[in-house]
Amino acid sequence: MGKEFRGTIADHPDFDAGSDAEALYDAMKGFGSDKEAILDLITSRSNAERQDIRAAYKSQFGKDLIDDLKYELTGKFERLIVVLMRPPAYHDAKEIKDAIKGAGTDEKCLIEILASRTNEQIHNLVAAYKDAYGRDLEEDVIGDTSGHFKKMLVVLLQGTREEDDVVSEDLVEQDAQDLYDAGEAQWGTDEAKFIMLLGNRSVIHLQLVFDEYQKIAEKSIEDSIKSELSGDFERLMLAVVQCIRSKPMFFAKRLYKSMKGLGTADNTLIRIMVSRSEIDMLDIRECFRLRYEKSLYNMIQDDTSGDYKRTLLKLCGGDDDMAGEFFPEAAQIAYKMWEISAMTKIQLRGTVRPYQNFDPASDAQGLRKAMKGFGTDEDTIIDIVAHRSNAQRQEIRQTFKSLLGRDLMADLKSELSKNLQRLILGLMMTPAEFEAKMMKKAMEGAGTDEHALIEILVTRSNQEIQEMCSGLGTDDRALIRIMVSRAEIDLFNIRKEFKETHDTSLHEFIQGDTSGDYRKTLLILCGGED
């Protein structure tokens, strides 16, 4: 029983290479070419069929189809159609050749291809590279990379990962312990152990090892890799781990990154859309929709144009947002809840901890002094409030009332203004008061801010921070909401996730996007630069 087909491009039912070759020849004949006919035909044939069309084209017209397409088409559309016409292994070979030639190396491309291909795909790639360039791929990679990064790439190039039916029960615990001993348990890291285990064990075996590792280390293997390794080697090992956990999710993240932000990384977009169209595009679409609450189809539609867009949408194969019932709000919330329960295994870490030499009376006096007389000493207020835990802040409020007979919240409100006032008052409230206020805010005014409501009812997520950054200006309410409510819970984790998604740290984002005392307070809460 073969695996269920999860691609979007399959063999064409009444395939006839000769008549397809003729149709393409006609579409390119004369003045201007019929681009729509070309893209329709090529995207409704499988890669194996496209190779037959190339052969038929050569024997009927004595010309190379790829050369003709290159001559007739231009820009990204041409690049995409030409990639579709190449055998997958030859396209991988070309991408790797381009990634290592010239001055700098495109490590991200190398990592993506070598971390995600099966043994068979790796062997075909090595053979195609030799055939196309007359060179040895391993030698070229060795000549262009260094250190542990190079060693792991060489291991992956062997294509010797054990097949999935190889799971050695007795080895699962041993491997997990070995990984722990090689990293978290000692000073310095034994990289060779990581390379050997992550490069050779079967996917299913490693999934079990990662679960076992979580129990031993009380943190995920990803978190350990982030703290133990660095640079390209860290990025490569994370990619390998992500591919072992879920290739479709790995590609969904790569696709999102290729389109988010300024400009589109078209090479990555083309490479993934083409290489996965006959393998797991349906799964990638599902992961994309779950993770980003937007369909891949929609994202491509917003981010590309013309025939290039039309071809990518054909490869995508459908819009998951169209079917209203495909993903109702309730399912989103259920997914969020599932994600949280899956995340709880990860050790949650906040950035604000209880202050060691805490004295509520002297803090209350300090705050009163900072607000008395002419002008307010914001620095002292920030220093006290941002460096105490929420429980300590409640004690300060109590003491302020019993010592000075005044309401600290009212005093702060009259002394501070704008975002700094919102942020400091948010920090001084109990979590329940703060949530209640935010829910009231979300329901006030014109229409309900469902995003805020869902987020408060279920969880805060990195998603919200992404949305704040992508718009014009900063959504300060959302930023304050997250920084206040997550500072003692998992802001450290959110920071790490933010860095991974945005290639910039939360610290840098706050630094560039806010100012004054408001910025100063946010940076203290953020807790580090990553």
Side-chain angles (χ1 to χ4, degrees), residues 1 37 40 45 164 183 198 210 217 235 244 277 325 347 357 367 384 423 429 445 474 485 504 512:
M1 160 89 188
D40 275 343
R45 305 293 183 270
D164 267 354
L198 294 182
F210 296 162
R235 276 192 281 276
I244 283 158
S277 60
E325 68 288 327
Q347 190 183 13
N357 310 311
L367 286 171
I384 293 175
L423 180 54
M429 289 175 199
T474 310
S485 61
T504 175

Side-chain angles (χ1 to χ4, degrees), residues 470-517:
S470 54
L472 289 166
T474 310
D475 177 352
D476 291 293
R477 281 181 191 279
L479 184 58
I480 290 170
R481 183 164 73 232
I482 292 165
M483 298 298 284
V484 168
S485 61
R486 307 316 283 181
E488 293 179 49
I489 303 173
D490 56 2
L491 192 52
F492 182 83
N493 308 69
I494 290 173
R495 235 170 60 192
K496 291 286 179 210
E497 173 82 6
F498 188 91
K499 172 88 173 171
E500 205 176 300
T501 313
H502 295 285
D503 293 327
T504 175
S505 69
L506 181 55
H507 193 278
E508 286 165 341
F509 166 68
I510 291 170
Q511 193 105 37
D513 232 59
T514 59
S515 60
D517 291 320

Side-chain angles (χ1 to χ4, degrees), residues 425-477:
L425 287 175
L427 287 167
M428 290 303 305
M429 289 175 199
T430 65
E433 285 174 322
F434 183 67
E435 304 276 70
K437 186 174 162 60
M438 286 298 153
M439 286 177 86
K440 186 164 174 297
K441 276 266 182 282
M443 290 182 281
E444 266 170 13
T448 305
D449 177 357
E450 276 88 2
H451 265 294
L453 261 184
I454 289 174
E455 190 216 7
I456 290 162
L457 292 169
V458 184
T459 179
R460 322 294 171 302
S461 71
N462 189 255
Q463 183 71 25
E464 178 121 5
I465 301 187
Q466 287 172 21
E467 281 158 14
M468 290 164 355
C469 313
S470 54
L472 289 166
T474 310
D475 177 352
D476 291 293
R477 281 181 191 279

